Amino acid sequence: MGYPLHRPRRLRQSEIWRRMVRETRLTGDALIYPLFIVPGRGVRRAVVSMPGICQLSVDEAVKEAKMAVEAGVLALILFAAPTEKDAQASAALDPKGLVPEAIAAIKHAYPKLLVWADVCLCGATDHGHCGHVLPTGEIDNDSSVETLAKVALNYARAGADAVAPSDMMDGRVLAIRKLLDGAGYLNTPIVSYAAKYASAYYGPFREAAQSAPAFGDRRAYQMDPANGREALREVLLDIEEGADLVMVKPAGPYLDVIARVRAAVTVPVVAYHVSGEYSLIKAAAERGWIDERAAVFESLTGILRAGADLIMTYYAPDVCRWLAE
Ligand code: PBG
Ligand code: ZN
């Protein structure tokens, strides 16, 4: 029997009641803050399509890490936009490259802050694809996997607290695990971008990371947005290969995928609230069309409610500060 016996509004009648019966709690502990590292010193260059986000030289990244730590952020993820790009992605293999340098500098200043390193080739290749390109224009899976594993080892050696392959090549988690273990990095977790969709929401990121493909698109390696079951296949394969955490990306348009993945696995599930999701809220807020803080809380809470344990978001320091007010 329903109404009048049942009145769900009884539990919504005051903020105290609402707080007590709240099912999902957004906390700063769940958030990972992405940084974009560029060459130089004293560089803090605004990313036009992502208001509030800058490309940072290593010294400025340390200052950004300070700001994040003071806000209460527990983890960062680093992306690099080197200027030297080639077919081999040499910049990503360089032990003195931007990411190793940034990891060392940030860990030196804030040893307890977790520093994850995104592992991909697109920021370092002259063609901007996430793997090696064959003469036919196809992306070669297996040679790309070999290079990706070397990039991951390069970052693990530099002291990364986790490596996060975002390329979507088949078999890269296993190749990375083997190479890391062989070199003694048994305790470096792999955060796999397991269900990464070919998404229009990455547009602003490509300005920030200078990683837009020079030809074609990423649809032959990233997932078709129409597919949900396939996400489970990708996630289960990555877990078999040794992934410690799995990611769904983007987050907001894929809440069903997050929920299905959550139900299917026991490892932590990460969702990436991507650049386009950030920029949409920013742009509407700048025009006075939306309440930024409320929209961010609602978006991130929805991602947690769907089943994510952790969220990578450009709003991480803001959210920590807003929660502390
Ligand atoms: C590239 C990469 C992308 C993002 C993270 N790593 C873009 C892409 O695949 O083209 C997107 C992140 C964002 O939009 O915030 N491997
Ligand atoms: Zn890539």
Side-chain angles (χ1 to χ4, degrees):
M1 210 211 311
Y3 171 87
L5 192 58
H6 291 279
R7 292 178 180 268
R9 286 184 54 191
R10 287 183 188 124
L11 303 186
R12 286 178 219 140
Q13 63 184 294
S14 68
E15 180 56 16
I16 298 288
W17 270 113
R18 291 189 294 270
R19 268 171 65 183
M20 288 196 78
V21 301
R22 192 154 289 152
E23 297 175 33
T24 308
R25 294 173 204 276
L26 175 62
T27 80
D29 292 0
L31 309 179
I32 299 111
Y33 183 42
L35 300 188
F36 299 104
I37 315 295
V38 293
R41 269 191 73 80
V43 181
R44 178 171 280 271
R45 192 182 308 127
V47 177
V48 176
S49 56
M50 300 178 72
I53 300 298
C54 294
Q55 295 180 321
L56 306 163
S57 53
V58 170
D59 55 324
E60 288 293 324
V62 174
K63 292 184 197 161
E64 192 73 9
K66 178 177 200 287
M67 178 280 287
V69 166
E70 285 170 357
V73 170
L74 302 182
L76 308 178
I77 181 162
L78 306 184
F79 295 91
T83 31
E84 320 259 291
K85 306 190 188 231
D86 60 24
Q88 287 76 43
S90 310
L93 295 160
D94 182 357
K96 295 203 167 84
L98 287 175
V99 173
E101 212 192 304
I103 293 168
I106 294 169
K107 290 300 291 185
H108 178 74
Y110 303 101
K112 285 192 288 201
L113 176 65
L114 292 187
V115 179
W116 298 5
D118 181 88
V119 171
C120 203
L121 306 190
C122 54
T125 48
D126 45 14
H127 47 66
H129 276 287
C130 302
H132 295 306
V133 178
L134 292 168
T136 56
E138 290 164 293
I139 309 305
D140 185 38
N141 192 84
D142 296 12
S143 67
S144 303
V145 165
E146 268 182 54
T147 306
L148 286 157
K150 290 179 192 158
V151 173
L153 179 57
N154 184 27
Y155 298 165
R157 282 197 171 119
D161 292 297
V163 291
S166 64
D167 52 281
M168 287 299 281
M169 299 300 131
D170 295 328
R172 90 277 206 217
V173 172
L174 181 62
I176 290 171
R177 188 72 272 158
K178 280 188 175 162
L179 200 67
L180 292 186
D181 285 4
Y185 295 94
L186 305 172
N187 289 322
T188 304
I190 299 176
V191 185
S192 173
Y193 288 66
K196 175 174 177 179
Y197 288 88
S199 174
Y201 287 87
Y202 305 153
F205 174 96
R206 292 180 186 169
E207 179 197 339
Q210 291 154 1
S211 65
F215 65 89
D217 54 46
R218 305 203 199 289
R219 286 183 291 179
Y221 43 105
Q222 298 180 348
M223 285 178 57
D224 184 335
N227 293 358
R229 287 191 304 271
E230 191 186 354
L232 297 181
R233 183 171 189 226
E234 284 283 4
V235 159
L236 294 173
L237 284 171
D238 282 5
I239 292 172
E240 267 177 43
E241 290 180 30
D244 297 281
L245 302 90
V246 291
M247 196 192 304
V248 175
K249 175 186 175 188
Y254 298 88
L255 296 181
D256 59 319
V257 176
I258 294 172
R260 289 165 78 176
V261 167
R262 170 69 294 158
V265 309
T266 56
V267 299
V269 175
V270 187
Y272 198 153
H273 186 244
V274 300
S275 59
E277 300 180 81
Y278 173 88
S279 299
L280 284 178
I281 298 175
K282 275 284 173 196
E286 279 184 349
R287 286 162 180 73
W289 291 349
I290 202 167
D291 176 337
E292 181 178 29
R293 193 184 297 207
V296 170
F297 280 146
E298 186 175 334
S299 301
L300 300 186
T301 300
I303 294 164
L304 295 179
R305 190 192 61 240
D309 300 290
L310 302 173
I311 306 175
M312 311 221 306
T313 174
Y314 304 96
Y315 273 113
D318 287 332
V319 168
C320 287
R321 280 189 294 263
W322 293 338
L323 287 169
E325 276 175 21

